[in-house]
Amino acid sequence: MTQKRFITIGTFDGVHIGHRFLFGRLDALAVQYLQKPLVLYFPLPPKTLLGAHPEMTVLSTPAEKKHLLKELGMQAAALDFDACRNMEPAEFFEKILLQKYQMGGLLVGPDFAFGKDRRGDTDFLRAECAKRGIPFEASAFYRTDGEKVSSSLIRKTLAMGDTERVSALLGRPYELTGTVVKGHKLGRRLGFPTANLDTGIYKILPLGVFAVKVRVGRRYYDGFCNIGFRPTVNTIDSSLPLVEVNIFDFHQSIYGRKITVWFAGKLRDETKFNGLDALVGQLKKDRELARAVLKNLPPPKPL
C-alpha cells in the first residue's frame, strides 16, 4: 500500500523564516500521522505570471527556490500554474491532491486559496477534508517582533534597500545570481572594473550601493555593488537597473560565467555627481567602507 503524504501548498517566494516554520510543522504532522511530508509549490507567484509588469517581482527564481527547498531537506514538487489556474477547486482537490499526490493530510497558511477565482479557500479545504476524514490544519502567521512575516513584507523592505532586515526575515543574506555580460568598460578606465550582471527580469533588484560577498567558481571575494541607472555617466534607458559589481583584488576575465552576490549592507543611495572626479572620489570611499563592513565577515553558509 502506498504511504500517504501530508501536504502543504504555496508559492513560498523567498523560502523565508515563516515558510521554514510551516515546514517544521509539516514534518511534525507527517510524523504524527505516519505519512511522508510533501511541499507542492508554484515556481513563480501567480501575480508575476498574470501581471502586466512581471519585472522585479520575486525574491527567489524557480531555480533558487528548488535549490532552497532541497537544502532544507524538503521533498517538493512543482505545480504547473497554467494547468491549475482555471480548475474548479473540487477538481483540483480530487485530481491533483488526492489522486496524483496521494494526500493523507493537508497544512496551509491562513490566507491560502487556489483554483478558479481563488474559491478554494481554507473553509472549502476544511470541509472537503472533513468529509473524507483527512487531517487538516490552517497554520497561524509566523511573527517576529510582533510583525507578520510574509513575502510581501520582504519585497517592500527590499525595495527600500534595507538588505540587513531582509536577511533577518529570510534567515540568510539576500542573493543575486547572474551571468557576467560586457559593458562600456568605464569602470575599468576609472580604476574600478566591474562585472555587469544579467540576472533576468523577475528577480527584485534593490537600488543603491551595497557591500557584498561574491562567489566566483568555488572562491569567495569581498566587493561592492552598484544597482541603478548610472545618473552621472551613460544613463541607461531601461526599466531594469544595471547591476555592477566591483570585486576586490580580482583580475580574471569572467565574461559569460555565472557568479553569485550576497548583500551584507547598504552603503548609500545612488547619486548623481558633478563629474568623474567626484564620482571616483566617492567610489574610493565606498570601497573603504565596504572593506570595513565585510572585515571578518565569513562567506555565506548553506541553509
Side-chain angles (χ1 to χ4, degrees):
M1 182 178 176
T2 302
Q3 187 176 11
K4 295 289 187 180
R5 294 185 173 102
F6 214 109
I7 290 174
T8 191
I9 319 172
T11 299
F12 306 118
D13 188 26
V15 192
H16 55 64
I17 57 175
H19 296 143
R20 277 185 259 173
F21 174 78
L22 186 75
F23 298 154
R25 181 59 183 156
L26 178 70
D27 283 337
L29 289 168
V31 169
Q32 179 181 343
Y33 289 97
L34 303 178
Q35 298 180 18
K36 292 181 179 179
L38 177 65
V39 176
L40 296 181
Y41 71 95
F42 293 106
L44 288 171
K47 288 182 180 179
T48 295
L49 295 171
L50 297 174
H53 299 285
E55 302 89 354
M56 297 203 302
T57 54
V58 306
L59 299 168
S60 52
T61 65
E64 289 170 344
K65 189 180 298 182
K66 182 178 180 180
H67 172 74
L68 289 166
L69 291 169
K70 183 178 180 181
E71 288 292 315
L72 286 173
M74 303 307 300
Q75 183 68 34
L79 294 169
D80 184 339
F81 176 71
D82 285 336
C84 299
R85 60 179 292 195
N86 289 319
M87 273 190 175
E88 293 292 339
E91 182 184 12
F92 182 89
F93 190 93
E94 184 67 34
K95 291 185 177 180
I96 303 298
L97 297 180
L98 292 178
Q99 295 179 14
K100 184 173 182 178
Y101 290 108
Q102 299 296 302
M103 182 180 71
L106 183 60
L107 170 69
V108 297
D111 58 350
F112 177 77
F114 70 97
K116 190 173 183 180
D117 300 324
R118 291 176 57 84
R119 293 200 301 269
D121 57 13
T122 53
D123 289 339
F124 168 83
L125 291 170
R126 184 178 287 106
E128 290 300 311
C129 286
K131 289 178 188 176
R132 298 165 173 81
I134 293 173
F136 172 80
E137 183 174 308
S139 175
F141 285 114
Y142 182 78
R143 295 178 179 272
T144 181
D145 297 327
E147 188 167 29
K148 179 181 74 175
V149 177
S150 68
S151 299
S152 296
L153 170 65
I154 299 174
R155 292 187 200 108
K156 292 175 183 177
T157 305
L158 188 58
M160 293 186 292
D162 190 351
T163 54
E164 292 177 87
R165 185 169 185 233
V166 166
S167 295
L169 294 171
L170 288 175
R172 65 184 188 282
Y174 188 66
E175 68 183 69
L176 294 176
T177 296
T179 302
V180 179
V181 297
K182 291 189 176 182
H184 295 289
K185 298 186 179 180
L186 175 64
R188 184 176 301 279
R189 294 197 297 273
L190 297 178
F192 290 86
T194 60
N196 293 357
L197 292 192
D198 178 0
T199 59
I201 69 168
Y202 295 124
K203 188 89 171 180
I204 298 173
L205 302 175
L207 299 180
V209 182
F210 303 87
V212 296
K213 288 283 185 179
V214 187
R215 186 179 65 203
V216 182
R218 295 184 178 182
R219 293 194 61 184
Y220 291 84
Y221 301 86
D222 291 346
F224 70 103
C225 175
N226 182 88
I227 303 179
F229 298 92
R230 303 176 70 170
T232 304
V233 291
N234 295 332
T235 301
I236 61 172
D237 182 18
S238 171
S239 61
L240 293 176
L242 186 65
V243 181
E244 303 172 285
V245 186
N246 177 250
I247 309 173
F248 300 155
D249 308 314
F250 185 83
H251 308 289
Q252 301 174 36
S253 175
I254 51 175
Y255 291 125
R257 293 181 62 179
K258 282 192 174 183
I259 67 173
T260 299
V261 174
W262 288 268
F263 293 82
K266 187 172 183 177
L267 305 179
R268 62 177 174 86
D269 291 330
E270 189 178 42
T271 305
K272 183 173 182 178
F273 293 96
N274 186 23
L276 293 181
D277 289 342
L279 173 60
V280 171
Q282 181 61 54
L283 291 176
K284 289 178 179 178
K285 294 177 183 178
D286 294 337
R287 180 170 57 192
E288 294 312 305
L289 182 54
R291 287 189 187 277
V293 170
L294 296 164
K295 187 178 180 180
N296 301 323
L297 187 68
K301 294 180 180 180
L303 290 174

